[in-house]
Amino acid sequence: MTSLKVFSRLTHDARIFVAGHRGLVGNAIVRRLKAYGFDNLVLRTHAELDLLDQSAVRTFFKEEDIDYVFLCAAKVGGILHNSLHQADFIYENVMISANVIQAAATYDVQKLLYLGSSCIYPKHATQPIVEEALLSGALEPTNEGYAIAKIAGLKMCEKFHQQYGKCFVSVMPTNMYGPNDNFHPDHSHVIPGMMRRFHEARENRASQVVVWGTGAPRREFLYADDFAEAALTVMECYDKPETLNVGTGEDVTIRELAYTMAKVVGYKGEIVFDASKPDGTPRKVLDVTKMKSLGWEPRISLEIGLKLAYEWALKAGAFDIVAAEGGVNAPSAPPLRP
Ligand code: GDP
């Protein structure tokens, strides 16, 4: 992807911390930053910096003199994993947000970008979902823990902006996919989970592949590199405390996704839907008018994006490994005591 984006705010000597750089989103942001010649990136693996450890996070910010933060680290997971581990999702995501945002404020970070998620909007929000719909109704129960934690992080940014004048901004990405995704069979989101199942069915010459749920829910999907371009645009030119939706503004049914997936993977057998698995929220598509007014728009169609993600997964051996619980960029908390 080429672009003639001009940066005046993000200077090449700025120290940029991408938290969660090994995950789907963080990795895409690092790739885009490097493509634009930003080499002054500060990156830490989970083993090098545990974002759940407040004291370690404070020491890191004190010593590293960070100018910009892309806060992409989070405990993430698909519908099933998320619904069964809600205590872990709420705890880890609250801790990561609180530790990083507070340390960034204390040690004078110039700007921080926080990632919400379209799944933190109310379950029955009017579609396409506008930013003002946040907190206007009850949440989808399968990811309530995750959503509450993400809302807390988003509101922390807004409040630090209002009370302390900190330029902490947030975006609300739709469902994302691409290289470095978590391809775990049960813990992943729909695209990598389904891709693995279709790939295995093709390899094993299976006559049938099972897709979770009824196939009726509608979802919007954004290729991670398109999101990364949006994140850089926001870092460069958007300073308001109000969050911004980032998506394509277009959705497909899970059934349509399954047929496109079959085409991309080359699976020719039957597709059956397992209605005993949760469907989740019936529809989730974002109104992206505000984001597009900043001059950004997505470039990669679903079919092309799926092809790119599949090529990456094959090359990286993503189907050979069962990824670590919760996703590749997910710090895992010590077991919670009863
Ligand atoms: P959601 O957007 O928060 O509901 O999260 P997911 O990406 O996990 O699921 C999206 C939809 O895809 C749900 O309706 C699932 O039932 C459906 N789905 C179909 N097959 C799969 C699969 O293999 N994995 C996951 N995670 N979801 C699937």
Side-chain angles (χ1 to χ4, degrees):
M1 203 193 318
T2 53
S3 166
L4 298 173
K5 194 188 290 295
V6 176
F7 293 95
S8 55
R9 185 86 172 272
L10 269 181
T11 54
H12 284 80
D13 57 350
R15 289 176 61 74
I16 305 172
F17 174 41
V18 181
H21 71 285
R22 286 175 146 186
L24 170 69
V25 180
N27 200 272
I29 290 177
V30 167
R31 286 198 306 275
R32 291 314 296 149
L33 283 167
K34 286 188 174 165
Y36 285 121
F38 292 98
D39 296 322
N40 218 357
L41 307 183
V42 183
L43 307 174
R44 292 289 183 278
T45 63
H46 180 206
E48 290 164 346
L49 175 63
D50 181 359
L51 297 176
L52 300 178
D53 180 343
Q54 185 185 35
S55 155
V57 173
R58 289 176 68 86
T59 304
F60 166 78
F61 274 92
K62 188 176 178 186
E63 290 175 352
E64 292 296 335
D65 199 18
I66 303 294
D67 297 307
Y68 291 90
V69 178
F70 290 89
L71 181 38
C72 310
K75 182 172 178 65
V76 294
I79 188 164
L80 195 61
H81 190 58
N82 211 316
S83 63
L84 298 175
H85 300 85
Q86 300 224 26
D88 302 343
F89 276 85
I90 192 168
Y91 168 72
E92 293 193 29
N93 287 311
V94 162
M95 292 302 285
I96 292 170
S97 307
N99 290 344
V100 175
I101 292 169
Q102 204 271 345
T106 306
Y107 295 105
D108 294 326
V109 161
Q110 289 180 39
K111 188 162 178 177
L112 177 145
L113 176 65
Y114 184 81
L115 269 60
S117 162
S118 62
C119 70
I120 76 180
Y121 281 121
K123 178 178 174 119
H124 295 296
T126 307
Q127 310 285 324
I129 309 172
V130 291
E131 288 86 350
E132 293 72 23
L134 187 67
L135 290 173
S136 65
L139 298 166
E140 156 62 35
T142 51
N143 62 17
E144 192 186 51
Y146 175 82
I148 294 280
K150 280 283 167 182
I151 293 171
L154 206 99
K155 285 287 166 188
M156 273 185 79
C157 289
E158 188 186 295
K159 302 307 174 199
F160 273 75
H161 208 300
Q162 290 163 347
Q163 186 180 341
Y164 296 114
K166 297 288 172 189
C167 195
F168 293 176
V169 299
S170 65
V171 288
M172 210 72 108
T174 192
N175 296 32
M176 289 184 283
Y177 68 102
N180 293 287
D181 211 339
N182 168 13
F183 286 82
H184 191 284
D186 301 322
H187 301 171
S188 58
H189 285 103
V190 58
I191 287 188
M194 194 189 267
M195 193 174 274
R196 172 186 278 267
R197 242 168 243 120
F198 278 64
H199 170 76
E200 289 171 350
R202 196 201 65 187
E203 294 289 289
N204 301 330
R205 298 176 196 280
S207 57
Q208 234 185 33
V209 72
V210 177
V211 170
W212 295 1
T214 60
R218 301 188 68 89
R219 294 288 184 276
E220 175 192 21
F221 298 104
L222 181 68
Y223 193 68
D225 295 53
D226 271 337
F227 173 78
E229 199 66 35
L232 266 59
T233 303
V234 170
M235 211 39 142
E236 180 60 24
C237 64
Y238 182 82
D239 288 345
K240 296 182 187 161
E242 295 83 24
T243 193
L244 282 180
N245 286 341
V246 185
T248 62
E250 289 166 17
D251 59 351
V252 292
T253 63
I254 295 300
R255 178 178 295 274
E256 286 162 344
L257 173 69
Y259 284 97
T260 312
M261 187 69 81
K263 187 174 161 200
V264 166
V265 172
Y267 168 74
K268 298 201 166 55
E270 190 189 357
I271 300 174
V272 293
F273 292 86
D274 174 6
S276 71
K277 289 279 193 310
D279 264 349
T281 211
R283 191 176 179 207
K284 231 184 340 175
V285 62
L286 297 176
D287 182 314
V288 287
T289 312
K290 287 185 185 164
M291 187 63 220
K292 284 189 170 175
S293 75
L294 299 182
W296 168 88
E297 59 183 323
R299 298 169 175 212
I300 299 174
S301 70
L302 181 59
E303 191 170 331
I304 300 283
L306 290 176
K307 279 186 187 148
L308 293 171
Y310 189 48
E311 276 166 22
W312 179 88
L314 289 174
K315 222 172 177 177
F319 303 120
D320 308 333
I321 324 157
V322 172
E325 187 162 314
V328 279
N329 66 338
S332 42
L336 294 174
R337 291 189 179 78

